[in-house]
Amino acid sequence: MDRILRIGMGFWESRTLLSAVELGVFTVLGHRQLTAEQLQRELGLHPRSARDFLDALVAMDMLRRSDDRYANTADTATYLDSTGSEYIGGFLEMAAARLYPFWGGLTDGLRTGRPQNETRDGGDFFGTLYRDPQRLYDFQRAMTGLSLPSAHAIAEVFPWHRWKTVADIGTAQGALLRTVLETNPHLHGIGYDLPAVEPIFTEYNAPVEDRITFRPGDFFTDELPEADVLVFGHILHDWDLPTKLMLLEKAHRALPDGGAILVYESLIDDGRRTNLSGLLMSLNMLIETPGGFDYTAADLRGWLADTGFRDPRTAHLAGPESMVWAVK
């Protein structure tokens, strides 16, 4: 019974953390230790439930409290202070602003197969996003937060010594490229995305600007850039199967013989029993897209074989994420 109720009421805990990110609790604290009264004042909280809110975060192991002073934990100091280089809160900010309310329509989505986001009322999420510089920046930062843990793993475990150039397809801010280039100084990188992304990409990648370039393009209408390795991170799951296969075919055309494709996502485990994050991400694609879905590594290995790739290999990265890579 307890487990059923805990899962059913899990939105209480989720919403508390999302509100803390929206309010900037972890950034305001930084490396300081503040009393409840100080935090209430700096965060603009009403006194009625400020202490309950802060102590709930303590009980969730998101904050520490000692001698009536609150402080970040090691994890929240690293990942939820927006001034830090490892900040993943951008993704949680997007979850709070967009995904949380849209998931209220999951039941309708399961019955109809239709998205439950802006498109439900005739809007166009990606079209609107790319016309609004601030929303685009927030979205790109969210994607950086989602990608960084896997980016660090990919930079270390993929055999980059075999190749000299890499292009990241749908690069967003370029977190994957910057991380890989900083770890592998022999590499040169190309960030490939729609033209509106270029200023955000250029600013983020200033530390490796001598080895990185931005290539504007639309992977639906344009050919992909030529490089030794093409990376698709959190891209394929946005689309239906024919589009997935079209992108893999384009990658095969763009790569030289001996080049490699690398795909990483929250891949569902092959038995479809244990990677809950991958399965829930696929439900999120139902909420967000007309035809997108997540998939298993076995599914992807089959698609890669169907589009001409060989010798596919699978490796776990970080948390729920894994990669599959193959060669042409």
Side-chain angles (χ1 to χ4, degrees):
M1 181 185 74
D2 288 347
R3 180 172 172 272
I4 293 172
L5 290 175
R6 187 175 69 251
I7 293 173
M9 303 307 293
F11 66 91
W12 285 6
E13 188 171 352
S14 170
R15 186 62 252 188
T16 299
L17 175 60
L18 295 179
S19 291
V21 171
E22 283 185 313
L23 290 163
V25 171
F26 310 104
T27 302
V28 166
L29 274 170
H31 296 289
R32 299 186 295 170
Q33 297 185 25
L34 300 177
T35 66
E37 291 74 18
Q38 289 171 318
L39 275 171
Q40 177 187 318
R41 184 169 59 252
E42 292 199 31
L43 295 170
L45 302 176
H46 191 279
R48 179 183 174 193
S49 297
R51 189 175 292 274
D52 289 342
F53 172 59
L54 296 170
D55 286 342
L57 292 170
V58 172
M60 292 161 58
D61 200 28
M62 296 290 104
L63 292 179
R64 295 183 293 110
R65 189 186 69 226
S66 178
D67 297 328
D68 293 325
R69 290 182 176 272
Y70 296 86
N72 278 320
T73 67
D75 280 348
T76 56
T78 300
Y79 299 115
L80 293 180
D81 179 349
S82 65
T83 65
S85 61
E86 298 295 307
Y87 182 64
I88 64 171
F91 186 71
L92 297 181
E93 292 171 21
M94 184 182 72
R98 296 189 62 258
L99 300 184
Y100 188 88
F102 292 148
W103 266 70
L106 177 61
T107 302
D108 187 59
L110 291 169
R111 287 176 172 154
T112 65
R114 292 196 296 268
Q116 299 300 304
N117 61 4
E118 295 92 341
T119 61
R120 183 174 182 174
D121 299 317
D124 175 3
F125 169 56
F126 282 110
T128 302
L129 176 70
Y130 278 80
R131 288 193 297 269
D132 184 331
Q134 185 58 52
R135 284 189 66 187
L136 179 60
Y137 175 80
D138 292 342
F139 180 77
Q140 302 292 354
R141 189 169 68 152
M143 293 303 98
T144 293
L146 182 62
S147 299
L148 271 176
S150 288
H152 287 299
I154 290 169
E156 296 289 347
V157 304
F158 186 74
W160 293 108
H161 64 278
R162 295 171 53 179
W163 295 286
K164 295 180 179 180
T165 58
V166 51
D168 187 23
I169 309 304
T171 190
Q173 276 189 304
L176 182 281
L177 276 182
R178 174 173 162 178
T179 304
V180 166
L181 265 61
E182 287 178 334
T183 307
N184 299 272
H186 73 286
L187 286 173
H188 286 74
I190 298 168
Y192 182 83
D193 213 315
L194 294 174
V197 175
E198 183 170 6
I200 303 168
F201 176 90
T202 301
E203 178 185 16
Y204 184 84
N205 287 284
V208 290
E209 62 182 359
D210 59 324
R211 292 186 290 125
I212 200 167
T213 58
F214 182 83
R215 182 81 56 81
D218 182 336
F219 54 55
F220 287 114
T221 58
D222 303 324
E223 290 301 310
L224 300 181
E226 295 181 359
D228 297 334
V229 179
L230 296 183
V231 178
F232 292 78
H234 309 128
I235 296 294
L236 294 187
H237 74 160
D238 286 342
W239 314 105
D240 59 19
L241 182 55
T243 307
K244 287 174 166 65
L245 294 174
M246 177 274 290
L247 291 173
L248 294 178
E249 289 166 354
K250 278 195 169 186
H252 192 270
R253 288 199 301 272
L255 284 166
D257 289 341
I261 184 173
L262 188 162
V263 179
Y264 70 96
E265 310 255 21
S266 293
L267 295 176
I268 300 169
D269 60 289
D270 288 350
R272 297 180 59 86
R273 292 178 181 273
T274 57
N275 191 354
L276 178 60
S277 293
L279 291 162
L280 294 178
M281 181 63 82
S282 198
L283 290 180
N284 191 58
M285 292 302 100
L286 166 66
I287 297 291
E288 290 277 54
T289 70
F293 63 94
D294 283 75
Y295 46 87
T296 67
D299 292 330
L300 179 55
R301 290 193 296 268
W303 301 334
L304 289 168
D306 290 343
T307 51
F309 291 97
R310 58 184 174 82
D311 195 22
R313 306 182 189 188
T314 304
H316 176 254
L317 295 173
E321 299 218 326
S322 297
M323 70 175 178
V324 174
W325 65 278
V327 296
K328 176 177 174 178

